[in-house]
Amino acid sequence: MRKLIAGNWKMNGTQAALVEVEALLRLCAENLPAETDVLLCPPATLVGAMASLCAGSGVMVGGQDCHSQSSGPHTGDVSADMFADLGAGYVIVGHSERRADCGETDAVVRAKAEATQKAGLVPIICVGETREEREAGKAVSVVCEQLAGSLPQQASGQAYVIAYEPVWAIGTGLVPTKGDIAEIHEALRASTPDPVQILYGGSVKPANAVEILSIPNVNGALVGGASLKAKDFYGIVSPS
Ligand code: PGA
């Protein structure tokens, strides 16, 4: 299965940050490992400019969240159709920061994933346990329940990606053991009949990318902090 290395810029970056994209495009043009796809998900404000910059390069662009409707009276929201209009190919849905900051439930995440597919884009559906849930031995059951509640109802046949992101590993420098990542990815793999990519996310850096990407059923990475600088992100895309 191809690997997908996706960068999530979160609420970081103004137009000045597009120089990092130009630098990444130069690096990828020199050498993009076989069977590897690269995706950048900047704030909504930069999706259009980034998509224009990346057009024809093979580097893809996506949104970080979308509304479940395609248009309407939802001040401040952006729809998947609008991202499609800008040239995006993916939308991240159900990131733990949105589940926590905006109270997004599995049902809300499912509606957003379905809206993303309806717009012709691929949702990256995020699941992950908290530290308390892991310490209570509930990590596998929590992520499988989240996935079951968040998957589009008619998922089969339509493209989607799953991202396993333990909440306690995001932005902390902490990473689960190889065995713990393998256990969750195996359980997620068994939870879906579709041959989907399952990404790992949470403190992925150039220094740990080779090890993480070699774990069975890990088909790529969702990268936050280390995706902001071209050199670091490329170090994950093409780890040396
Ligand atoms: P991080 O974030 O790489 O900074 O830990 C990952 C994410 O939240 O997608």
Side-chain angles (χ1 to χ4, degrees), residues 58-198:
V59 173
M60 303 179 291
V61 177
Q64 297 176 9
D65 172 55
C66 67
H67 197 275
S68 57
Q69 304 291 311
S70 55
S71 64
H74 304 288
T75 303
D77 275 313
V78 177
S79 73
D81 301 71
M82 292 167 177
F83 284 128
D85 181 50
L86 294 177
Y90 291 77
V91 182
I92 299 169
V93 296
H95 190 283
S96 62
E97 286 155 10
R98 293 205 59 87
R99 289 179 187 262
D101 291 356
C102 309
E104 290 188 8
T105 61
D106 289 341
V108 168
V109 176
R110 164 178 284 162
K112 292 181 174 202
E114 288 176 349
T116 300
Q117 289 185 330
K118 209 167 143 220
L121 307 185
V122 179
I124 300 177
I125 302 165
C126 302
V127 294
E129 84 285 359
T130 62
R131 175 182 290 285
E132 295 70 38
E133 288 163 341
R134 173 154 289 278
E135 283 170 359
K138 294 186 187 149
V140 170
S141 60
V142 164
V143 298
C144 288
E145 257 173 54
Q146 279 182 351
L147 185 70
S150 307
L151 274 186
Q153 236 130 27
Q154 312 250 304
S156 202
Q158 289 239 42
Y160 63 97
V161 173
I162 298 169
Y164 167 53
E165 297 205 304
V167 177
W168 52 273
I170 293 175
T172 58
L174 302 172
V175 177
T177 64
K178 276 176 82 166
D180 285 345
I181 295 176
E183 181 187 33
I184 298 277
H185 279 243
E186 194 185 333
L188 291 171
R189 173 73 67 217
S191 304
T192 159
D194 304 303
V196 297
Q197 290 167 311
I198 306 177

